[in-house]
Amino acid sequence: MSGLKGQCAECGWTTRRSLKNMNKKPCPKCGGPVYVHEEDRGAAIFVVIAVVVFAVIFAALTGNW
């Protein structure tokens, strides 16, 4: 199964979602917000940093700085 593990902040329900869809839908059980679970927090930080680095390199190479 792909995606990052998410956990509801209110009831603790867990799911797997992509990082961009983590907060789009509320928890289906209680309607609370879903955040990245502690187990996958390091992976989520790595993804965000990689995207930022890629964007900076792309902007520098294309001259859109």
Side-chain angles (χ1 to χ4, degrees):
M1 191 173 241
S2 64
L4 298 171
K5 189 173 183 181
Q7 182 174 17
C8 176
E10 294 182 14
C11 71
W13 179 80
T14 58
T15 184
R16 289 235 175 240
R17 297 180 179 179
S18 66
L19 185 60
K20 70 177 186 173
N21 292 331
M22 193 63 67
N23 294 324
K24 285 189 177 179
K25 293 182 184 176
C27 173
K29 291 179 97 178
C30 70
V34 178
Y35 298 110
V36 176
H37 193 276
E38 288 182 20
E39 292 176 4
D40 285 350
R41 197 156 289 155
I45 291 171
F46 176 76
V47 168
V48 170
I49 291 172
V51 168
V52 169
V53 167
F54 178 75
V56 168
I57 291 171
F58 182 76
L61 291 175
T62 60
N64 294 329
W65 195 252

